[in-house]
Amino acid sequence: MRLSRAIFTEGVYESATLNVIGVALLFLSPGLLVCTLVEWGSGSSHQEMALLGTTCLTLVIGMSLRTITSIADDSMEKPKAVFSVVAWSWVSCALVGVMPYLLGDVFAWSHFGNALFESISGFSCTGSTVLEDIESNGRGILLWRQMTQWYGGMGMIVLGVTVLPNLGVGGLKLMAAEAPGHKSDKLKAKSIDTAKSLWVIYFGITAVITFALWILPNISFYDAIAHGFSTVATGGFSTYNASIGHFNSYLAELVIVVGMFICAMNFNLQFIFLRGQGENKANRGKIKVFTDSSEWKLYVKITLLTVFGVFLLNWLLDSAPVGIAFRDSLFNVVALASSTGFGNVRPNGIGDFVLWGTATQLVLLFLMAVGGTVGSTSGGMKVLRMQIGLKALRRELKKLQHGKLVFPIKLGKTPVEDSIVASALGFISLFISFVIGGTLVATVCGGDDFVSSLSGAISAMSNMGPALGDAGPTSNFLEFSRIGRAALAVLMVVGRLEIYAVILMFIAPADRLKIRKQT
Amino acid sequence: MLTRFNSESIKTSCFAVGISFGLIGFITLISAVGNFPDSSNSRTQLSLILSGLLTSLISAGLLKLAGKQEITRASKIFSLAVTSILSFIALSSIVYLLTGFVETLDAAIWESAAGITTTAISNIEIEKLPSSMHIYRSVSQWVGGLGVLCLVFVAMPLTVRKEDGRDLTSEGYASQIFSRDPKKKVKEFSIVYMGLTVIIFVAYISAGMGTFDSICHSLTTASTGGFSTKSASIGSYGSGSIEWVATFGMIFGGLNLGLFWWAWKKKFSKIKENTELRAYFFILLISILAFGLMLDRDFFDLETIRTAAFITASLLSTTGFTTVSWEFSSAMTTIALLVMATGAMTGSTGGGYRVHRVIMLFWYLRRESTIMHKPSAIRVMKLSGNKVLDRSLEKLHGYTAIFILLVAVGAFLLSLSSQHLTLQESISFSLSAMVTNGPGLLESTGVGIDHNVVSHLTLSALMVLGRLSILPVAYVVLFASTALKGVFLRTTEEVE
């Protein structure tokens, strides 16, 4: 049978969710194949069959779903359907992502939960790990682990958008659901072009970071690409137990700091800066693109001020040598502000931020919660929402002072609609509620330590990686109880999918997965 | 400058400061009388009598100067509330310094703020205080509680703009419960407040507490203040019946006082339909159950239930009385912090985020989920039969954000001031002050806060902010900054 477009669009059953899950799984298979080859070529361990088996599995399931299902013309019109597709695709990828770990004996089958945690942590770009000894695993498996973050960075759905002309509908809505930020229709009129543009930028940044790391001494191409994947996705997984601290290189840290900082910036702005077309053509290559964005300015201010503040606290209060204080403060603040979560613990350094003063740790908690900018791969509440929240508070006070006057909230020179303000404030409240819920489950049901649970919940919701307390950069999330880890895994998904998609996912699950026969 | 701080502003300030002077005069004179039979603390007595007479005279002068005040605008109410509380703290600090029980100004400010904001936090050796100072501290908290009731029932309804609609929940349903006339309203809830205090006093006496201690403890229980005449608080009596009285006293103190008025008027259906009351008791019961199970004792033992009920009541009503050390397991710490943060009902003397906001937040989540699922659906949120306005939700989110931000900033400053404070302790001390509870949750290796200027002033600021529900203070700060900016700009223009 000749593989034609019709096979993928005229399946017997109508289900947009299953069809897009099929697309997502098909996109995983090239990555898995590459990892199989790396594992086979490196000979570091014998986990290539696990990877090959998973490659076949994703191909078979993906092709089957695409063949037997189709998407009705009107099925992606409703927001709930779009959100549902996003959420279920995520869950499916995370479930399939478990297979290499289980088949390769990275985790025993009895520890399925740990494998799932690792997979969710990867696809959600969190970077929290439950691996006790990362370096004991094969290169292919570790590359897969890095790749899950890379895939997760822009999201399976953004990749899926490139095939949406086949599906015919919903491309822009998916973009809006997956990659929040400036309205995607401003980026480019057609969803296929939008997805391709973002893909090119994403790929380009990965290549630049990889190259910059590769030319540094003592960093192999494998290490460079593995950390390039993780950096661009603001994930935080490393192929070494000591994370970036393994290289003990100021230059490597600097490259990664710049990479993390850039990748937490709105990709739409980066697109306009690099490839602006149409009305944005005049702005191409101009720094004005960034400086005109009030969110970008606030993000830069927060990061710089925090680097300076944490440096002062480490230097003055904790008596660290000035050079080391600056180096470790810079790295860790940017790692947390971008929600990447790399560690740089090394001999003679102060990279283990769990040992920093309480005041400094509180600043780090704040950074974890805020995260990067919208439209980036970073997590957290996002700077824009914080900005709107602060402006809304200021408006409240002004209203008390001058009750009858109207005070529109503006971002730069653009007024913000009241519905967006309400949505941003509501999101902040929901974010806090989920953090409280996660902490409650971890401490009460799992008996975990309060500080670890609170910081773990914030870290998971912000897709950060390390936490404070017992789950710092030199430790792992095995410190948490099984229930605690389950709660944190849920928070990772909730945080990555920006809460609403997950809420919708569980409101009417039957409706989401209903398969009805075509008439 | 006078255009900004015009004569009306000065008169309002005079009025606010006059009230504070009057209150201090009243409290100090009562305290001096309370110490009358005891002549061993002549310095204290003399300080109190002189302070009382002087402040009463100054109060009379200031109130005459201010004349009759028409208080209708939000800005005026907020200015009045902030000026009154700050001037009260300033004057009370002087009293503390004069009596010699506190040596530094920052410590005096801290003690005074704890008194008027009904927070059970203190660094004085309680057992060494004369009875007059116990009365002074207890009456301070009682007056603070009365001030809060005035703010909620009388002042808050005046701050609502007509176009925004009435926010009955935040006003403690005052317009549905009490008379519309402010004077009558004050009289009505004052009667309830005094009645509650008297009932608690009688209950304490019946439970075997001495008369003097019963007076002091009834004042601080009804006001959810938490000051005690013993350093070990209620635990020092080792009496189950006293603990039960304190527990029920705190629970009632955390209720909307209007509910007692409704009960008096036999409007039981109104009480029954009050959503906040049901949520308050739901949280109370769940927390008692959770603490009972986590106390590592036999759950079915009455003593376990009593201890669990006491801790819950103390945390939820933000009173801060203690019977056992607040050094909990991680699970209990999380629940304790949540209960403490939730706080009491609106229209009570308790502090915290308040139960009605928790309900609104929960319903908001439900509504958003529904709207996502069915975009055309219109889901009206109701609380105790009253429609929750979108404007109230906006305020709710803003309040939530600033509440957490202030707790975080407080924790940051406390951890800067106290080198040995852990993350958990800094958060719990900051939260405890913000909700006007008092004691923080210590860790097993913890030593608590270092007593210095920064920690004292940080905690004082948090207590004031928490007591006034943030907005009035924020408004005054914004107003002052705008005014100062105006003055600065004018001065610059003049120089040019």
Side-chain angles (χ1 to χ4, degrees), chain A residues 79-80 83 313 317-318 358-363 365-366 386 390 393-405 418 422-423 425-430 432-434 436 439-440 443-445 447-451 454-455 468 499-501 503-504 507-508 511-512, chain B residues 4 74-75 78 159 161 163-164 294 330-335 337-338 353 361 364-365 368-370 372-375 391 394-402 404-405 408 411-413 415-416 418-424 426-427 443 471-472 474-475 478-479 482 485:
Chain A
K80 64 178 179 180
F83 279 119
L313 287 168
L317 287 184
D318 295 343
T358 306
T360 323
Q361 290 189 31
L362 276 162
V363 175
L365 268 184
F366 167 75
M386 291 292 291
L390 289 173
L393 284 178
R394 199 174 159 76
R395 181 172 71 171
E396 283 302 312
L397 296 175
K398 278 185 176 174
K399 273 186 177 176
L400 290 173
Q401 203 174 353
H402 311 284
K404 287 175 185 171
L405 297 180
D418 278 351
S423 158
L425 291 171
F427 184 90
I428 294 171
S429 297
L430 283 176
I432 293 162
S433 307
F434 274 99
I436 291 171
T439 311
L440 200 62
T443 51
V444 176
C445 305
D448 297 316
D449 156 52
F450 173 75
V451 172
L454 175 69
S455 58
L468 301 176
I499 302 174
Y500 293 114
I503 294 171
L504 260 182
I507 285 176
D511 189 31
R512 301 286 75 74
Chain B
R4 303 286 309 185
S75 55
F78 290 158
T159 64
R161 294 185 303 150
E163 54 269 37
D164 286 344
M294 288 174 197
S330 60
M332 273 183 84
T333 300
T334 310
I335 295 180
L337 287 176
L338 278 178
Y353 184 72
L361 202 59
Y364 168 79
L365 176 65
E368 287 302 299
S369 308
T370 313
M372 272 188 287
H373 183 46
K374 294 173 184 167
R391 181 85 187 91
E394 269 182 44
K395 283 183 186 172
L396 169 81
H397 296 315
Y399 186 87
T400 310
I402 203 161
I404 290 171
L405 191 70
F412 175 75
L413 291 173
S415 54
L416 271 184
S418 309
Q419 283 288 302
H420 304 290
L421 209 62
T422 64
L423 201 61
Q424 178 192 311
S426 61
I427 292 171
E443 284 192 88
L471 269 182
Y475 166 77
L478 186 79
F479 177 77
T482 314
K485 205 189 280 177

Side-chain angles (χ1 to χ4, degrees), chain A residues 39 79 166 175 185 312 380 382 480 482:
Chain A
E39 183 72 31
N166 281 341
M175 283 286 295
D185 56 358
L312 282 182
K382 305 280 164 67
F480 285 99
R482 193 169 270 206

Side-chain angles (χ1 to χ4, degrees), chain B residues 187-234:
Chain B
K187 196 178 162 188
E188 285 165 1
F189 67 72
S190 298
I191 289 170
V192 176
Y193 189 45
M194 279 189 256
L196 180 67
T197 312
V198 171
I199 290 168
I200 295 172
F201 166 72
V202 174
Y204 271 132
I205 290 264
S206 314
M209 196 186 263
T211 313
F212 180 76
D213 283 1
S214 296
I215 292 171
C216 292
H217 282 101
S218 60
L219 290 169
T220 57
T221 308
S223 63
T224 65
F227 273 163
S228 173
T229 52
K230 311 280 180 192
S231 51
S233 191
I234 299 293

